């Protein structure tokens, strides 16, 4: 009887075929990094992912986090229910940047979970993972987008407040505040780190997050700011404000709005102007009893941003229309031809103008503009007498619009006029 021999031969051939068909099964390995065991199933890409996970463990350990024994398993299918148990399952096809993020998040959450509530541990772990992960990580960018969107909705604790804690004290400060009640513990920790009122430090992160997240090292664009329709405008108001970020668009009643902060308590109040060009904005801190003229021509958003760290904050302010601020224009002329551009204008009066600014603009994308060049034209002293100006420049093929603005003493750009260039 030779069939047992044939059966054994077939069985051996099947095993050999399996190894040939799935060579990764023979390449599975594991590595111990500190208290974390990293195991792979040998599938394609698992070695690179394992290296990223190991780098994440070393980075977290180096920053003082205490990680209990854990198992991180890299699998071709991290959702395979038949796979051995693990504390973190990562796909072998996961981009290494995201595997790094996911590992840091899991390790930090495991450490903080021993002393902090689940929600706080998760929020802090995501922040740490985002800051430690390399640029280009999809998970990091998702966190940044969520952060910016939440800030635009007025949420402060998990956005600018926690971010300020991280920036001032890093990992050690995050570990220290995690067990304490939020937001009280965060605010108290900041009070020990900064001189003066912590709301000033937090408000700077708020403004950067609203207007230019790249100033914070983020890779995402700023979210849109709310319009005035259906919202409370910063016209004449007395408000008690709670913890959070409060946005009040300025009423569009004239060329500019004169804003006066009458009283404030426990808040930071800023006048903000965003221009239609990406990344351009101006901010002025409002002081009690002082009027600030905020131009409204040529801006995409103008309003008041209030940052409050407590539930007893409040402010009262008033605003008035400024019809001809900062320039009352008597006439203007524009000519383009022969490779040159000439803009001349005469002011009937002007006030608080440091200089005129001429920008040559080109299209960037479907709706944006890019400043090809920017030049300054000296201005006469403030007065009510007419004064004439002229600007001459060599044209450029890319330039489609010239924009004339007045630079005010507060640093705002007030649009005087735009002049399209006739193209063939």
């Amino acid at each position: 009887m030779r069939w047992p021999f044939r059966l054994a031969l077939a069985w051996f051939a099947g095993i050999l075929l399996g190894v040939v068909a799935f060579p990764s099964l023979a390449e599975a390995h594991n590595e111990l990094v500190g208290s974390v065991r990293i195991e792979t199933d040998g599938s394609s890409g698992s070695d690179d992912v394992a290296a990223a996970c190991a780098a994440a463990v070393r980075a977290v350990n180096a920053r003082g986090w205490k990680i209990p024994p854990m198992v991180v398993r890299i699998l071709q299918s991290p959702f395979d229910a038949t796979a051995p148990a693990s504390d973190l399952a990562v796909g072998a096809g996961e981009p290494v940047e995201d595997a790094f993020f996911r590992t840091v998040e899991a390790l930090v959450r495991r450490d903080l979970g021993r002393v902090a509530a689940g929600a706080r541990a998760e929020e802090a772990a995501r922040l740490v993972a985002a800051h430690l992960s390399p640029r280009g990580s999809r998970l990091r960018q998702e966190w940044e987008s969520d952060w910016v969107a939440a800030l635009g909705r007025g949420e402060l604790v998990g956005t600018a407040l926690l971010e300020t804690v991280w920036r001032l004290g890093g990992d050690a400060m995050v570990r220290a505040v995690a067990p304490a009640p939020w937001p009280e513990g965060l605010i108290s920790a900041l009070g020990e780190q900064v001189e003066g009122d912590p709301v000033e430090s937090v408000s700077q992160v708020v403004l950067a997050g609203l207007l230019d997240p790249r100033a914070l090292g983020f890779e995402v664009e700023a979210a849109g700011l709310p319009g005035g329709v259906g919202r409370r405008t910063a016209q004449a108001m007395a408000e008690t404000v709670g913890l959070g970020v409060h946005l009040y668009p300025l009423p569009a009643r004239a060329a500019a709005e004169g804003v006066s902060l009458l009283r404030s308590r426990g808040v930071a109040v800023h006048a903000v102007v965003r221009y239609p060009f990406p990344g351009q904005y101006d901010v002025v801190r409002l002081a009690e009893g002082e009027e600030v003229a905020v131009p409204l021509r040529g801006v995409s958003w103008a309003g008041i941003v209030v940052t409050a760290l407590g539930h007893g904050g409040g402010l009262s302010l008033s605003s008035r229309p400024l019809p001809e601020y900062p320039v009352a224009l008597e006439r203007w002329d524009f000519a383009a031809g022969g490779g040159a551009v000439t803009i001349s204008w005469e002011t009937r009066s002007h006030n608080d103008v440091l200089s005129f600014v001429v920008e040559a603009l080109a299209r960037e994308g479907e709706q944006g503009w890019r400043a090809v060049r920017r030049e300054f034209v000296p201005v006469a002293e403030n007065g009510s007498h007419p004064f004439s100006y002229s600007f001459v420049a060599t044209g450029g093929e890319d330039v489609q619009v010239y924009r004339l603005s007045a630079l005010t003493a507060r640093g705002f750009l007030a649009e005087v006029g735009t002049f399209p260039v006739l193209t063939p």
Side-chain angles (χ1 to χ4, degrees):
M1 295 179 60
R2 304 181 61 181
W3 62 267
F5 174 75
R6 292 177 179 175
L7 182 62
L9 190 62
W11 177 79
F12 178 76
I15 293 295
L16 186 62
L17 247 166
V19 172
V20 172
F22 303 101
S24 61
L25 294 177
E27 300 170 6
H29 69 273
N30 62 73
E31 175 185 5
L32 187 64
V33 183
S35 61
V36 179
R37 180 171 296 281
I38 301 173
E39 300 180 354
T40 78
D41 64 356
S43 54
S44 176
S46 61
D47 286 346
D48 291 338
V49 174
C53 295
V57 176
R58 296 187 189 98
V60 167
N61 281 332
R63 300 179 78 91
W65 295 95
K66 306 300 181 183
I67 311 302
M70 291 179 59
V71 175
V72 176
R73 198 177 300 281
I74 291 89
L75 304 168
Q76 187 172 28
S77 174
F79 307 106
D80 185 359
T82 65
S86 63
D87 298 290
L88 174 66
V90 183
E94 181 106 37
V96 292
E97 299 88 354
D98 293 343
F100 187 99
F101 182 106
R102 205 181 295 280
T103 305
V104 171
E105 180 185 13
L107 299 178
V108 173
R109 187 172 65 243
R110 175 64 68 91
D111 187 3
L112 292 179
R114 297 180 296 184
V115 295
R120 292 204 302 271
E122 182 176 349
E123 209 159 17
R126 288 195 72 206
L127 175 134
V128 174
H131 281 288
L132 296 190
S133 295
R135 298 176 69 86
S137 165
R138 175 185 59 83
L139 295 178
R140 170 180 163 170
Q141 292 174 358
E142 287 180 1
W143 176 84
E144 292 174 353
S145 296
D146 293 343
W147 190 99
V148 169
L151 183 69
R153 294 192 299 268
E155 299 176 21
L156 186 67
V157 177
T159 57
L161 185 52
L162 185 58
E163 179 73 14
T164 307
V165 166
W166 164 267
R167 289 176 178 272
L168 291 179
D171 302 75
M173 196 165 171
V174 171
R175 285 193 294 271
V177 300
W182 287 8
E184 294 82 4
L186 299 173
I187 298 170
S188 176
L190 287 179
E192 297 175 0
Q193 289 284 326
V194 301
E195 295 183 3
D197 194 338
V199 73
E200 297 297 336
S201 299
V202 177
S203 68
Q204 297 307 307
V205 176
V206 167
L207 293 169
L210 289 174
L211 300 169
D212 185 15
R214 295 182 186 275
L216 299 174
F218 291 4
E219 298 179 78
V220 297
E221 299 292 338
L225 294 172
V229 179
R231 292 184 63 92
R232 178 74 179 273
T233 59
Q235 184 172 338
M237 52 181 287
E239 295 272 316
T240 299
V241 294
L243 176 77
V245 179
H246 309 271
L247 307 177
Y248 304 96
L250 283 169
R253 303 182 293 181
E257 197 76 14
V259 182
S260 298
L261 179 63
L262 306 177
R263 294 285 186 274
S264 65
R265 181 181 65 254
V267 295
V269 187
H270 293 84
V272 171
V273 167
R274 176 185 279 177
Y275 304 105
F277 311 110
Q280 290 188 336
Y281 61 90
D282 282 312
V283 176
V284 171
R285 176 71 155 91
L286 297 186
E288 290 185 9
E290 184 179 4
E291 183 179 73
V292 172
V294 182
L296 300 179
R297 285 181 179 166
V299 305
S300 59
W301 192 86
I304 306 301
V305 177
V306 179
T307 304
L309 290 188
H311 294 286
L315 75 156
S316 62
L317 60 79
S318 65
S319 66
R320 63 187 181 95
L322 303 175
E324 293 188 330
Y325 180 89
V327 173
L329 202 62
E330 185 71 22
R331 64 165 185 85
W332 60 264
D333 293 298
F334 175 74
V341 169
T342 301
I343 305 174
S344 60
W345 64 97
E346 181 180 341
T347 61
R348 186 168 65 253
S349 64
H350 60 268
N351 186 37
D352 291 339
V353 179
L354 296 180
S355 73
F356 287 101
V357 182
V358 180
E359 296 170 296
L361 306 177
R363 278 286 185 189
E364 186 170 68
E366 296 183 359
Q367 300 179 344
W369 292 94
R370 171 175 55 90
V372 176
R373 59 180 178 272
R374 181 181 292 111
E375 298 187 39
F376 294 84
V377 179
V379 68
E381 294 182 0
N382 290 351
S384 57
H385 301 291
F387 202 92
S388 297
Y389 303 85
S390 183
F391 171 84
V392 180
T394 303
E397 293 183 1
D398 294 336
V399 177
Q400 295 172 292
V401 172
Y402 282 85
R403 179 176 184 248
L404 175 63
S405 302
L407 177 63
T408 73
R410 288 288 188 172
F412 292 120
L413 281 177
E415 185 177 284
V416 177
T418 56
F419 310 98
V421 178
L422 181 64
T423 56

